[in-house]
Amino acid sequence: MTDAWTPSERELERARVRRSLHRRGVVVATAVTVVVIGALLAGVLSSPGWPRFRETFLSWPDARAAFPDIAKGFWINVKMFLVAEPLILLLGGLVAITRGTVSPWLTPARFLAVFYTDLFRGMPTILVVFLFAFGIPALRLQGITTSFFWLGTAALVLSYGAYVAEVIRSGIESIHPSQLASAEALGLSRPQTMRFVVLPQALRRVVPPLLNDFVSLQKDTALVGTVGVFESLYVAADYGNYNFNFTPYLVTAAFFVALTVPLARVTDWLGRRATQRERGSR
Amino acid sequence: MTALLELEGLRKSYGDRVVLDDVDLAVDTDDVVCLIGSSGSGKSTLLRCLNLLEQVDDGVIRFDGREISDPRVDPREVRSRMGLVFQAYNLFPHLTVLDNCTLAPRKVHGLSRAEAEERAHGLLGQFGLAEHALKHPDRLSGGQQQRAALVRALCTRPELLLLDEITAALDPELVGEVLTIVRDLARQGTTMILATHEMSFAREVATTVCFLHEGRILEQGPPDRIFTDPREEQTRKFLRRVLPS
């Protein structure tokens, strides 16, 4: 009997009002967007240096000429990023968990974790890269690589590990104590509580700031270019210095943006899916 | 005179599940309407629809003579005249009890801090929470938290108070202190709609009792009649289950 529902006149009228309100919203959104973007474009295009800018930054032949080398260089950025990211997560996670332990046996580990985060968060990343690339080979240690690629990547891992550790720790601390209490009440040990109850919730909460750090890491792989690794920014600078044209910089920028935007969308989607699963879709 | 709140043919569904079906109800000023019925009968959804937290699929809600189910109505304006208290208190844990109580009066109703605090202190004192005003909610007992949530709703001087099973999460011994407040409010002539499982309380304070079953108001009337002489078989069944015989 309830299936026989047909909307009343009033409801149909309301649906019409809702649709027209929605349409009005769409019109406003479109108009505002067009006006703002138009104004920005007009501002840039009418700037006194625009013709000159077009010559030195938007030269199609130069973009084409530099593209293959930049792509090759960018592959180095991607490799650095792909190697560093899992290691950073692991390191950051370990440090964060270590700081949350309570066992007296682990006191030195806790001390070390605090010391590590304080030290590496405090140093400019570019300085860490310099110290690793030039300092470690100077020690002449047996069996340690002298490749700038690997030394630079190690510097990024240690530097970002400290940031990520703090992000994860803040996630862990944001979990309400009642969650710990109910896990302990079920008889779970402290590590089990961490592994099965706290961390899954904490990590989900810190996905946006983690992504933020990883986007930042993707860009900071360019810092390794400063010690002479031929990654994309270094390639672009090289081309610019040689041909007096800066278009390759914009090409490089496009590469970086093209890498980070899909990652952001994927993360948004993952977050939405998790929320929907837990709270239903209303 | 027209009723303060009028519902006509209210309908709400989530996907295929019809949660409210053709609900009619009139609430006059000073009425205390108790919604009873098993879990899932639509009591909470009904309250959420009245507060415009949920959009109804059909039917009309009139508040103070004006249709508030109209899409052009600003829900915030409606909500500023209604209070809603939740089963799980939903106090803001980062604010003290006093700040919980002064937030809406200051930010929505434009009271000065001094005015809002004076009003809050008055109500907190009246409900035995004076000494807890500067504590954060998590340091209070469940009963105290729910009383604080009630005070928070009252601080905006709502014309209509909606209470959604506010004692359902409390220990039996704490239920009393919260119900005492609601009883006082009813006596002072506060217009209220409350969903409740406390049958004897409903019988005592209600001017009208509505029995909900599968999203419909199956039966409504004065408490004495509903509780002693229910007409519907479903109502009788429900009352047999929940009333101590």
Side-chain angles (χ1 to χ4, degrees):
Chain A
M1 51 164 197
T2 51
D3 299 322
W5 172 66
T6 47
S8 67
E9 253 327 287
R10 180 69 194 119
E11 178 56 30
L12 294 173
E13 161 71 26
R14 274 201 301 244
R16 274 193 291 276
V17 172
R18 269 186 214 113
R19 271 198 302 275
S20 94
L21 287 175
H22 178 74
R23 267 197 304 274
R24 195 180 306 167
V26 172
V27 170
V28 169
T30 316
V32 168
T33 311
V34 168
V35 166
V36 168
I37 291 183
L40 284 173
L41 271 180
V44 171
L45 294 182
S46 65
S47 62
W50 173 247
R52 174 82 194 195
F53 179 89
R54 237 174 70 178
E55 233 166 81
T56 46
F57 280 86
L58 298 173
S59 146
W60 184 240
D62 285 298
R64 280 241 299 270
F67 188 89
D69 285 340
I70 290 179
K72 215 184 295 166
F74 192 67
W75 176 234
I76 297 182
N77 293 90
V78 171
K79 271 194 292 190
M80 261 190 278
F81 167 70
L82 287 180
V83 171
E85 189 173 274
L87 292 175
I88 289 167
L89 262 184
L90 198 70
L91 178 66
L94 276 177
V95 170
I97 293 167
T98 306
R99 289 190 72 168
T101 53
V102 286
S103 157
W105 293 97
L106 292 174
T107 309
R110 277 196 293 277
F111 179 74
L112 198 66
V114 174
F115 180 71
Y116 160 71
T117 39
D118 284 356
L119 187 66
F120 279 89
R121 243 178 2 150
M123 271 193 289
T125 309
I126 190 165
L127 190 66
V128 182
V129 171
F130 279 148
L131 286 178
F132 268 62
F134 300 137
I136 290 185
L139 292 173
R140 292 167 190 272
L141 293 167
Q142 281 291 312
I144 298 280
T145 180
T146 53
S147 143
F148 283 162
F149 173 86
W150 289 106
L151 289 169
T153 307
L156 289 179
V157 168
L158 284 173
S159 187
Y160 272 84
Y163 290 112
V164 167
E166 286 301 283
V167 169
I168 296 180
R169 189 166 71 101
S170 70
I172 291 173
E173 284 176 0
S174 75
I175 302 302
H176 199 266
S178 61
Q179 290 288 310
L180 282 165
S182 50
E184 277 164 17
L186 287 166
L188 268 65
S189 71
R190 180 87 194 184
Q192 285 172 325
T193 305
M194 261 296 168
R195 163 70 186 79
F196 296 109
V197 178
V198 177
L199 273 183
Q201 300 183 55
L203 287 179
R204 190 167 307 158
R205 250 179 231 188
V206 297
V207 162
L210 276 184
L211 177 79
N212 207 25
D213 278 347
F214 283 141
V215 169
S216 181
L217 168 71
Q218 288 177 359
K219 297 180 300 180
D220 276 359
T221 53
L223 290 176
V224 182
T226 54
V227 294
V229 173
F230 258 88
E231 51 72 48
S232 55
L233 179 59
Y234 194 57
V235 171
D238 198 46
Y239 184 98
N241 293 339
Y242 200 75
N243 299 294
F244 200 64
N245 188 288
F246 300 123
T247 311
Y249 282 132
L250 282 183
V251 176
T252 308
F255 267 103
F256 277 107
V257 172
L259 184 65
T260 51
V261 169
L263 186 61
R265 291 294 88 77
V266 168
T267 320
D268 288 352
W269 176 75
L270 280 175
R272 255 201 320 277
R273 203 185 54 166
T275 319
Q276 246 164 39
R277 200 173 46 220
E278 281 172 21
R279 295 185 195 159
S281 49
R282 31 168 162 147
Chain B
M1 89 182 214
T2 60
L4 178 67
L5 184 80
E6 266 179 304
L7 316 180
E8 268 170 39
L10 219 59
R11 179 189 167 90
K12 173 76 192 168
S13 60
Y14 297 116
D16 294 337
R17 208 162 55 87
V18 179
V19 196
L20 290 177
D21 189 11
D22 201 15
V23 170
D24 294 327
L25 182 67
V27 181
D28 285 323
T29 306
D30 294 353
D31 270 0
V32 177
V33 176
C34 284
L35 308 174
I36 61 170
S38 12
S39 303
S41 58
K43 305 187 295 286
S44 291
T45 309
L46 180 54
L47 293 178
R48 294 174 65 87
C49 285
L50 298 183
N51 202 247
L52 305 185
L53 287 172
E54 305 278 351
Q55 186 184 316
V56 295
D57 294 348
D58 206 341
V60 173
I61 309 172
R62 258 187 298 272
F63 181 53
D64 207 6
R66 169 154 164 257
E67 183 187 336
I68 57 169
S69 44
D70 189 298
R72 280 164 297 201
V73 165
D74 177 10
R76 297 201 317 139
E77 197 266 311
V78 173
R79 290 178 196 145
S80 71
R81 299 170 59 190
M82 287 187 194
L84 174 59
V85 182
F86 300 86
Q87 177 177 337
Y89 333 137
N90 297 6
L91 290 162
F92 305 123
H94 64 298
L95 298 177
T96 61
V97 169
L98 184 65
D99 289 339
N100 263 282
C101 293
T102 56
L103 184 67
R106 286 173 55 207
K107 304 296 173 193
V108 181
H109 297 262
L111 266 65
S112 71
R113 178 185 277 276
E115 288 168 317
E117 288 190 351
E118 190 191 327
R119 191 188 283 184
H121 276 305
L123 283 160
L124 287 169
Q126 191 182 333
F127 296 130
L129 291 166
E131 56 188 309
H132 304 299
L134 297 179
K135 290 183 186 164
H136 282 81
D138 278 344
R139 308 191 50 181
L140 270 52
S141 74
Q144 289 165 340
Q145 287 189 49
Q146 191 58 293
R147 279 187 282 156
L150 262 166
V151 171
R152 181 175 69 176
L154 291 172
C155 276
T156 61
R157 304 231 165 112
E159 293 158 58
L160 175 65
L161 192 58
L162 309 172
L163 308 178
D164 188 4
E165 296 188 22
I166 56 167
T167 57
L170 296 178
D171 290 341
E173 54 191 320
L174 299 179
V175 168
E177 57 182 81
V178 173
L179 291 188
T180 307
I181 294 184
V182 181
R183 196 177 287 125
D184 288 348
L185 292 173
R187 217 170 278 146
Q188 291 161 22
T190 312
T191 315
M192 285 186 278
I193 305 180
L194 44 135
T196 184
H197 286 298
E198 301 287 331
M199 292 305 145
S200 53
F201 180 72
R203 186 168 184 172
E204 177 192 345
V205 299
T207 52
T208 308
V209 173
C210 298
F211 173 67
L212 271 83
H213 182 70
E214 292 175 356
R216 291 170 160 268
I217 296 187
L218 217 54
E219 185 164 7
Q220 58 175 303
D224 280 333
R225 189 185 68 65
I226 298 280
F227 282 104
T228 52
D229 181 27
R231 287 185 195 134
E232 298 285 333
E233 178 56 27
Q234 290 295 348
T235 319
R236 272 197 288 275
K237 268 195 200 157
F238 173 76
L239 289 175
R240 262 204 303 279
R241 274 204 310 276
V242 296
L243 287 180
S245 41

